[in-house]
Amino acid sequence: MLRVMLNPMLFKGEEPPTMNRPLVGTLAGALFGAAALAGIAGGPAVAQEAGGQAEFGSIARAGQAPQQGPAQQAAPDFAGTVALSNCSGSLVRMPDSKPGDPGLVLSNGHCLEEGMPKPDQVITDQPSSRGFTLLDAKGGEAAQLKATKLAYATMTDTDVSLYELDSTYEEIEKESGIAPLDVQAEHPEKGKAITVVSGYWKETFSCSLDGFVPELREADWTMKDSLRYTADCKTKGGTSGSPVVDDASGKVVGVNNTRNEDGAECTMNNPCEVDKDGKVTVRHGIAYGQQTYTLTQCVGEGNKVDLSLPDCALPKP
């Protein structure tokens, strides 16, 4: 996957060091690749922690700190996006979320502070005090947000983390003037114009949805029905966890997580595609994201993740 930027405590690099997994801007960037199946090695690119553990995805690499200066403007702007210590993310609401519900922050599973989840590992309702910098339209700081728990995280079939905050949507908007991004409830369509909006880098990447991948394998992880972008979206470490926004509707249709960096097959930072017949295809330089409409089917009353809901298909513990 895209290299993750790590915390000074977690990753090597500048403020903070970057990891080689999620796309993050402080620590070493790391791309999280799809897990290797049947003996195939390959996984999300992640930035390495101080102990040398590789991270999955587009985490920012060590020494790859965000540059100072004016934030770039893009079709969808930065309002509602967040910067993590090692990745990007967004303040999101589901179709049935209420103003008085606790806010939710969306990012990648490989962007967790404690490191990437193992294959088949699912984390739910884990206490967390993680902080997030909420951005305004121009990429400036609008507010500081704080989690109360990691509501859900996994790198099995997808690459997602969802944090519950200690403040409600209406409280956040009253303080900052920033509304959350809406998550689309339907499967996105091929050919749609999209923008990957990185809160970590305060940078955007515009392209189109090129198609959907039945299986995306990277190292020891496998993701399903992944979003494949056209070549214009040249994501990098630190962009892991960025919302993938439909330019026409402004809704979130995915979460950015990896890119084939070197042209290798099914290895870390070099995801490969596997079709329904088992044929493996490598697309050097192409980046990918994960579906988010599946989250809308698993968040119930009070913005609580409920894996028992009838239409919820997310992996369970």
Side-chain angles (χ1 to χ4, degrees):
M1 304 196 73
L2 291 177
R3 302 181 184 278
V4 178
M5 302 302 294
L6 300 180
N7 265 338
M9 296 298 295
L10 296 177
F11 308 101
K12 299 177 180 180
E14 304 178 7
E15 39 172 78
T18 62
M19 297 180 64
N20 286 334
R21 285 278 180 177
L23 293 175
V24 183
T26 314
L27 297 178
L31 292 176
F32 174 42
L37 295 184
I40 299 180
V46 184
Q48 293 185 344
E49 302 188 24
Q53 178 182 358
E55 296 298 333
F56 182 101
S58 304
I59 294 175
R61 302 185 181 187
Q64 199 177 12
Q67 296 180 355
Q68 299 298 317
Q72 297 183 13
Q73 296 279 6
D77 58 36
F78 298 101
T81 63
V82 303
L84 287 70
S85 58
N86 62 337
C87 287
S88 298
S90 55
L91 174 66
V92 297
R93 67 182 163 201
M94 305 301 161
D96 294 329
S97 296
K98 304 295 190 297
D101 288 340
L104 298 173
V105 165
L106 171 67
S107 189
N108 282 150
H110 74 259
C111 292
L112 301 185
E113 293 173 300
E114 60 268 37
M116 300 179 293
K118 298 177 182 179
D120 298 325
Q121 181 181 7
V122 176
I123 301 169
T124 61
D125 294 327
Q126 175 176 291
S128 174
S129 58
R130 189 166 197 178
F132 312 91
T133 300
L134 179 65
L135 303 183
D136 62 21
K138 295 183 178 181
E141 179 178 329
Q144 287 294 319
L145 307 178
K146 186 176 181 180
T148 58
K149 69 178 180 179
L150 175 60
Y152 185 85
T154 191
M155 286 176 64
T156 299
D157 294 349
T158 183
D159 181 11
V160 65
S161 61
L162 200 62
Y163 291 86
E164 183 176 309
L165 303 178
D166 65 357
S167 48
T168 66
Y169 293 119
E170 58 188 358
E171 289 172 338
I172 294 170
E173 188 164 5
K174 182 178 180 180
E175 175 189 350
S176 67
I178 302 299
L181 300 179
D182 291 310
V183 178
Q184 180 173 298
E186 300 79 29
H187 191 290
E189 298 177 16
K190 179 180 178 179
K192 285 280 190 175
I194 57 168
T195 300
V196 176
V197 188
S198 173
Y200 184 92
W201 288 106
K202 299 179 178 63
E203 188 174 353
T204 60
F205 306 81
S206 296
C207 57
S208 298
L209 282 179
D210 189 45
F212 308 100
V213 183
E215 285 191 5
L216 189 68
R217 299 180 187 175
E218 187 176 339
D220 297 324
W221 295 266
T222 298
M223 296 151 280
K224 298 179 180 178
D225 196 24
S226 301
L227 309 177
R228 180 177 64 234
Y229 316 148
T230 53
D232 290 336
C233 278
K234 300 184 184 302
T235 56
K236 59 185 177 181
T239 63
S240 284
S242 299
V244 180
V245 180
D246 181 305
D247 289 357
S249 69
K251 293 184 177 182
V252 176
V253 297
V255 57
N256 181 62
N257 79 310
T258 193
R259 180 171 179 247
N260 187 296
E261 294 185 341
D262 306 315
E265 181 179 302
C266 309
T267 62
M268 186 67 74
N269 307 328
N270 293 290
C272 65
E273 300 182 12
V274 183
D275 68 15
K276 296 179 180 179
D277 297 321
K279 179 183 177 181
V280 176
T281 301
V282 173
R283 300 179 189 271
H284 185 198
I286 294 299
Y288 302 87
Q290 300 306 308
Q291 303 272 4
T292 50
Y293 79 94
T294 52
L295 296 174
T296 68
Q297 302 165 343
C298 302
V299 176
E301 186 176 354
N303 247 14
K304 303 299 182 182
V305 173
D306 184 354
L307 302 180
S308 69
L309 290 173
D311 295 327
C312 180
L314 287 175
K316 299 172 176 59

